[in-house]
Amino acid sequence: MKKTGFLLFALTCLACVQAAAQQTSVKDIDRKVNELLAKMTLEEKIGQLQQRAGDISTGTAVAKDDLMSQIRSGQVGSVLSNTSFENKIIMQRAAVKETRLGIPLVFGFDVIHGYKTIFPIPLAQAASWDMGMIEQIERIAATEAAADGQDWAFAPMVDVSRDPRWGRVMEGAGEDPYLGSKVAAARVKGFQGSDLSSPTAVAACVKHYAGYGFTEGGRDYNTVDMSDQRLREMVLPPFEAAAKAGSATFMNAFNTLNGVPASMNKYLVSDILRGEWGWSGMVVSDWNSFGETIVHGAAADETDAAAKCLNAGSDMDMAGSTFQKGLKNALDKGRVTKAQIDEAVRRVLRFKFQLGLFDNPFVRLDPKRRAETLEKPEYRQFSREAAAKSMVLLKNEGGILPLTEKSPFKRILIIGPYANSHTNKDYMSFWTLGLGMRYYDSTKVVTPAMALKPQLEALGFSVSVQEICLDATCTEKDLSVAIQAAREADLVIACVGEEGLNCGESRCVSDLNLRDNQEQILRVTSRNNKPTVMVLFNSRPMTFQWANDNVPAILVAWQPGFEAGNALSDVLTGKVNPGGKLPVTFPRSTGQIPLYYNHLKTGRPQEIFGTMWTSGYLDLPSTPAYPFGFGLSYTKFAYSDIRLSKSQISLTETLEVSVDVTNTGGLAGDEVVQLYINDVAADIARPVQELKGFEKVNLAAGATKTVTFKLTAADLSYWNQNSKRKADPGKFTVFVGGNARDVKSAGFELK
Ligand code: NOJ
C-alpha cells in the first residue's frame, strides 16, 4: 500500500516536473520567437510564409525562379520535395549563414508509406487494424526521412472516403471515421515520437483539411458539398484525433467545401481547428491552393486570394506565389493587418524552434547519421511483417490455402502481369518519392515470383512462372500462353490488379473492374477444374464479380511495398495466418458507388433483392461483394451471445458489452472483434451501424477470450439539428462480430 502510494506520488511529481518543463520551454520559445519577429522586415516575414519546390515536382507547373538566390535573399521559409541530401545542406548553409537573420529552412516531403524502406500503402496498413504496428511503421519512416534531411512529413492523410474511384483512397484509412481516428493518432505519434526536436523525429502534417475524400464523381480536386452533420461526423473526427495527438501542422485541401475553397475557409481553419479544438500549430496550403482560389473563381487576384487565405487562418504558401505577390498589397489596402501577418510568421518560427532547427539547423543533416540509419535490415523485416498482416483473405473455398506439404497439389503456376513485375512502381505507388527516382530500382523489390518460387519449391512443389499481359492489355497470345501453362499445373496463383503508378494523386478511375482484360486470365486458368488463387495487387476496392462467383481463393495483397513477395509467400504458405480486415467496403459493381456500411436508414430499405418499392437496383443487389470489416483466416472464430452489464444506462453511466470469442479451428490466428451501435429511434435518421470499438485478439487453437467494450453517452451522441453533439434517450442496438455484416446483437436503453 505504502509502496503504491509512494510510486503514485513519484509518478505524479514526475508528470508535474515534465509539465512544468514543457511550460517553460513553450514560454521560452515564444520569447525567442517574439525577439526574432521584432527584428524582421515585412519582406522577411513574407519570406518565412513561402515554401518553394525543390528538385522534384509533385504538382502543377509553378514559378521556378532561382531557388538559391531566393533563399539567400530571405524569400524562402521552407523547401518541399527535395531529394538531394547534399543540396539540402547547401541550402541550409545559405539560409543560416548568408541571410540577414540566419533563420533556418524547414524541409518538407511526402512520406506516405515509408521513405527509403517501402511499406504497404496506408489503406493496407489500416487493414491490419493494428495501431502499434502502424505507429512503428511511421517511426521507421520518420527515422529514415529525418536521417536524409527531411524535417516534416506531409502525412498522415486522414481523409475518410467512400469513393474508390478517387486515386487517393490508398493514402487514407478507409471509410470509417472511428477507425480513421485511431489510425490518424497512431501515425502522428509515429512520425513525431515523444520529442519533435529529436534527430529521429519529423513533424506530421495532417491533410487534407477538409472534405477532400468526398470529391464529386471521385475526381481529384473536384467540388465537395455536404451537410454540417456529415462534415462533423464523417470527415472531421480523424482530424480532431490527429490534432489532439499533437500534430504540429495541418494542410489545407484543394477542394471547395460548400462553395468555399478549403484554403480560405474560415469556418474550417479558424472556427473549428483553432477555435473549437484549441489547436495552435501551423497550417500550410496544398500545392498552390492559395493561388487556385482564383481559378475556383472565389478570389479576384493574388491580393484578394492572399487576404482571404490569411484571414481564414492559413499560414504558409506551398509552391505558389500568392503570398509573395499579394500579401504586401493586401496589407497596404487594409485587407489584412500587420498583427495577422505576425501571427502567421510566429507559427512558422515556433514550428522551427520546436523542430530543434534554431539550436542546430543541421540536426537532420548529419552525413554520419544518414550512413548509419537508412535501409536497415530490421526495417525490411518489419515491412515484411506489416505487409503480411495487412493482407485480407476474401475467399478460401475448400480450404485450398495455405499451401503446405499436405496440399494435394504438386505443380504450381504463378502467372499474370504482377507475377514478377519490375516496372511502373508495381507493388508500391506514385508516392515512393524518397527513393529519388521515377521508376523504382527493381533490385529493391522482392516480387511474388522471386519469393514464392524458391519458398514453394522448398516445400516440395514444382513451380513455374509465366509473366503475361505486360503491355497494356491481355492479348490472345497472352491467353494462349496461360491456357498452355495452366494445363501443366495443378494449382494456379494469378497475380492480377493494378499498376503501382495507378494510385495516388491525380490517379482516379471511372471503372473499378479489373482492367486490361485481366479477368480472362482467371477464366482460362480456371478451366478444366484447375483451382486458381487470385492475388489482387490493388490500391483501392476493385470489382471482380466473375472471380467472386468462380475463383475458389481470393487474397487482397494491396500494394505491399518492398517485401511484396516475401509477405505473400508467408501468407500463402501459412507461415502467417491472415488476419487483415477490410477498412473499406468492396462493391459488386462501380455503379453501386458510393457504397459504405454506415449509411443512413432509408424509409424503404431493401431486404430482399428485387422487392418492388424498396431502395435497390433492378440489375444488382444493393449489398456489397464484401462488407466493411470483412476478412477470413485459416482458422475459424465463433462468437457467444452478447452480455450487457445493464439493460439501461443514464447519461453518466458506462455500459459494458462482452462477448466470448473462441478459435474453433486448428490453427492459432488473429481476429478483429468489432463493436457497432445503432440509435434505433433518434430525433433524426441515424446510420444503420457505426463502429465504436474494436480489439484485435490472437487466439491459440481452441482458446477462448472474453472481450469487453465500454460504451458511454459520448459514444452514443451525434451532431444534431441544433449543431450540438448530444445523445438522444431511447433504444439502441449494439452489434459485435468479425465484420459489419455477420454480427450478434442486443438492445439497451439510454435513460
Ligand atoms: C499535393 C498533394 O495534395 C499533397 O498531399 C502533397 O503533400 C503536396 N502536393 C506536396 O507534394
Side-chain angles (χ1 to χ4, degrees):
M1 200 51 203
K2 262 187 186 164
K3 254 190 188 167
T4 327
F6 175 74
L7 202 67
L8 262 178
F9 171 76
L11 282 176
T12 323
C13 269
L14 193 65
C16 297
V17 172
Q18 277 172 347
Q22 259 169 18
Q23 272 307 104
T24 326
S25 79
V26 169
K27 275 196 188 150
D28 203 34
I29 288 179
D30 280 349
R31 183 182 47 78
K32 289 180 184 164
V33 164
N34 283 330
E35 280 169 13
L36 189 52
L37 197 65
K39 295 182 198 152
M40 293 171 78
T41 62
L42 178 64
E43 284 67 29
E44 283 163 340
K45 288 178 186 172
I46 294 174
Q48 284 305 306
L49 304 182
Q50 182 65 54
Q51 184 177 57
R52 283 266 169 246
D55 60 5
I56 54 171
S57 170
T58 50
T60 48
V62 284
K64 273 253 173 200
D65 309 324
D66 178 10
L67 184 56
M68 283 311 290
S69 63
Q70 289 212 355
I71 292 173
R72 287 194 184 98
S73 61
Q75 291 179 62
V76 182
S78 172
V79 174
L80 86 145
S81 301
N82 204 87
T83 56
S84 158
F85 183 72
E86 291 72 26
N87 284 349
K88 278 184 292 236
I89 296 182
I90 294 170
M91 287 186 236
Q92 191 67 304
R93 204 175 286 137
V96 295
K97 297 249 158 55
E98 297 175 43
T99 63
R100 197 176 72 90
L101 295 170
I103 301 174
L105 294 167
V106 51
F107 293 100
F109 204 85
D110 289 291
V111 185
I112 309 300
H113 50 115
Y115 185 72
K116 291 285 180 196
T117 304
I118 302 303
F119 290 90
I121 56 170
L123 186 63
Q125 294 177 28
S128 73
W129 298 59
D130 183 335
M131 300 308 123
M133 181 197 93
I134 292 173
E135 185 175 332
Q136 184 57 18
I137 288 176
E138 300 306 21
R139 198 76 291 283
I140 294 171
T143 305
E144 286 193 331
D148 197 37
Q150 314 295 2
D151 304 297
W152 184 15
F154 298 134
M157 185 192 99
V158 306
D159 297 307
V160 166
S161 184
R162 296 165 164 180
D163 198 330
R165 293 173 299 180
W166 187 48
R168 306 199 74 170
V169 90
M170 54 81 55
E171 282 178 68
E175 74 190 33
D176 182 69
Y178 180 88
L179 176 62
S181 300
K182 300 284 173 206
V183 173
R187 296 186 67 194
V188 168
K189 283 187 211 146
F191 282 125
Q192 299 194 165
S194 54
D195 174 9
L196 209 50
S197 66
S198 151
T200 66
V202 295
C205 185
V206 178
K207 65 190 192 183
H208 305 85
Y209 191 66
Y212 193 32
F214 281 73
T215 178
E216 281 180 5
R219 270 169 37 223
D220 228 339
Y221 323 116
N222 203 12
T223 305
V224 175
D225 208 305
M226 65 171 71
S227 66
D228 201 37
Q229 192 181 38
R230 178 170 280 185
L231 177 74
R232 297 285 186 162
E233 292 191 11
M234 294 298 150
V235 172
L236 294 186
F239 287 99
E240 187 172 4
K244 299 242 145 70
S247 179
T249 68
F250 263 55
M251 186 188 293
N252 302 126
F254 281 124
N255 53 279
T256 54
L257 177 70
N258 304 332
V260 185
S263 302
M264 51 177 262
N265 200 311
K266 183 175 165 295
Y267 177 56
L268 283 177
V269 184
S270 287
D271 300 352
I272 298 178
L273 175 61
R274 298 197 195 283
E276 289 176 32
W277 302 344
W279 180 82
S280 58
M282 196 266 281
V283 177
V284 65
S285 77
D286 203 342
W287 184 279
N288 191 31
S289 67
F290 290 172
E292 287 181 14
T293 59
I294 304 170
V295 192
H296 279 295
D301 52 24
E302 274 96 355
T303 306
D304 194 23
K308 284 174 172 162
C309 293
L310 193 77
N311 280 325
S314 304
D315 301 312
M316 186 182 267
D317 189 351
M318 177 196 287
S321 312
T322 310
F323 273 3
Q324 223 161 40
K325 291 189 182 149
L327 204 51
K328 184 172 180 309
N329 264 345
L331 179 68
D332 293 343
K333 288 188 169 159
R335 297 280 311 276
V336 300
T337 62
K338 183 175 160 293
Q340 278 178 302
I341 296 179
D342 283 355
E343 196 45 43
V345 177
R346 240 182 231 117
R347 291 188 193 116
V348 173
L349 295 177
R350 203 180 288 135
F351 176 47
K352 293 184 177 183
F353 270 107
Q354 288 164 345
L355 280 165
L357 290 168
F358 279 98
D359 290 333
N360 176 7
F362 300 92
V363 57
R364 296 178 189 81
L365 287 167
D366 174 354
K368 187 161 166 281
R369 177 184 298 281
R370 184 177 190 277
E372 289 164 358
T373 306
L374 302 182
E375 297 183 75
K376 288 192 180 159
E378 58 261 39
Y379 298 165
R380 277 202 79 122
Q381 178 56 29
F382 199 71
S383 168
R384 174 176 183 163
E385 287 164 27
K389 274 190 175 178
S390 304
M391 293 183 185
V392 184
L393 184 65
L394 295 183
K395 257 189 109 178
N396 192 17
E397 258 171 32
I400 61 172
L401 295 175
L403 301 169
T404 66
E405 283 102 339
K406 292 191 203 128
S407 299
F409 321 102
K410 286 283 148 279
R411 300 166 306 164
I412 295 182
L413 166 67
I414 306 170
I415 196 166
Y418 304 106
N420 194 27
S421 174
H422 295 272
T423 58
N424 297 328
K425 292 198 175 186
D426 290 340
Y427 321 112
M428 308 199 290
S429 79
F430 161 74
W431 286 120
T432 52
L433 303 167
L435 306 179
M437 54 200 143
R438 188 162 158 71
Y439 295 103
Y440 71 90
D441 176 352
S442 58
T443 59
K444 298 213 167 162
V445 174
V446 180
T447 68
M450 283 163 71
L452 267 174
K453 189 168 171 12
Q455 289 170 37
L456 288 172
E457 281 170 351
L459 291 172
F461 297 101
S462 86
V463 182
S464 60
V465 177
Q466 278 297 344
E467 289 183 70
I468 56 165
C469 312
L470 297 180
D471 299 321
T473 192
C474 296
T475 60
E476 285 302 319
K477 199 165 150 231
D478 290 312
L479 295 175
S480 64
V481 170
I483 292 168
Q484 186 54 35
R487 271 198 201 117
E488 284 152 31
D490 306 320
L491 177 124
V492 178
I493 299 173
C495 298
V496 296
E498 353 167 61
E499 279 180 13
L501 274 175
N502 278 354
C503 69
E505 187 180 345
S506 187
R507 282 150 176 87
C508 305
V509 295
S510 65
D511 186 355
L512 299 173
N513 246 326
L514 270 182
R515 242 162 297 163
D516 307 331
N517 217 13
Q518 291 181 75
E519 186 181 293
Q520 290 304 323
I521 306 176
L522 304 167
R523 285 184 186 256
V524 301
T525 60
S526 298
R527 281 184 199 162
N528 309 320
N529 294 329
K530 292 289 162 87
T532 293
V533 176
M534 166 175 144
V535 177
L536 186 71
F537 292 98
N538 58 319
S539 63
R540 48 163 62 88
M542 296 182 75
T543 53
F544 34 86
Q545 201 48 41
W546 188 86
N548 292 333
D549 295 338
N550 295 283
V551 171
I554 301 178
L555 180 75
V556 172
W558 311 103
Q559 302 297 6
F562 274 180
E563 287 290 319
N566 281 325
L568 180 64
S569 174
D570 290 345
V571 170
L572 293 185
T573 60
K575 204 165 147 195
V576 172
N577 188 352
K581 300 272 190 175
L582 297 178
V584 271
T585 301
F586 270 46
R588 295 168 191 267
S589 144
T590 310
Q592 291 179 306
I593 297 299
L595 188 71
Y596 48 95
Y597 87 94
N598 48 0
H599 58 88
L600 292 189
K601 292 175 206 165
T602 88
R604 296 186 178 194
Q606 181 168 84
E607 257 138 43
I608 298 168
F609 172 51
T611 312
M612 281 305 285
W613 321 117
T614 63
S615 176
Y617 301 106
L618 284 180
D619 56 346
L620 196 72
S622 51
T623 51
Y626 300 97
F628 177 81
F630 184 83
L632 301 173
S633 162
Y634 295 148
T635 189
K636 285 205 157 35
F637 297 97
Y639 283 73
S640 71
D641 284 339
I642 295 174
R643 294 186 300 277
L644 299 179
S645 59
K646 292 175 188 151
S647 57
Q648 286 196 329
I649 57 165
S650 70
L651 284 171
T652 54
E653 283 178 317
T654 298
L655 177 72
E656 289 192 356
V657 182
S658 303
V659 285
D660 301 328
V661 184
T662 304
N663 180 344
T664 57
L667 284 172
D670 288 336
E671 172 69 334
V672 181
V673 184
Q674 301 157 41
L675 170 94
Y676 300 87
I677 61 146
N678 167 242
D679 192 340
V680 178
D683 281 348
I684 57 172
R686 300 295 303 145
V688 289
Q689 281 176 308
E690 293 174 84
L691 184 73
K692 290 292 172 185
F694 62 86
E695 190 177 323
K696 189 165 185 171
V697 295
N698 180 273
L699 290 178
T704 296
K705 184 168 184 211
T706 302
V707 176
T708 300
F709 298 100
K710 291 193 162 91
L711 280 176
T712 65
D715 300 308
L716 309 177
S717 67
Y718 65 92
W719 193 255
N720 69 14
Q721 286 156 298
N722 305 321
S723 299
K724 291 263 159 357
R725 191 168 290 283
K726 268 180 96 180
D728 289 339
K731 287 188 177 152
F732 284 82
T733 308
V734 59
F735 310 89
V736 181
N739 64 70
R741 183 190 59 201
D742 305 312
V743 285
K744 299 271 182 172
S745 65
F748 71 94
E749 213 165 312
L750 179 70
K751 283 187 285 185

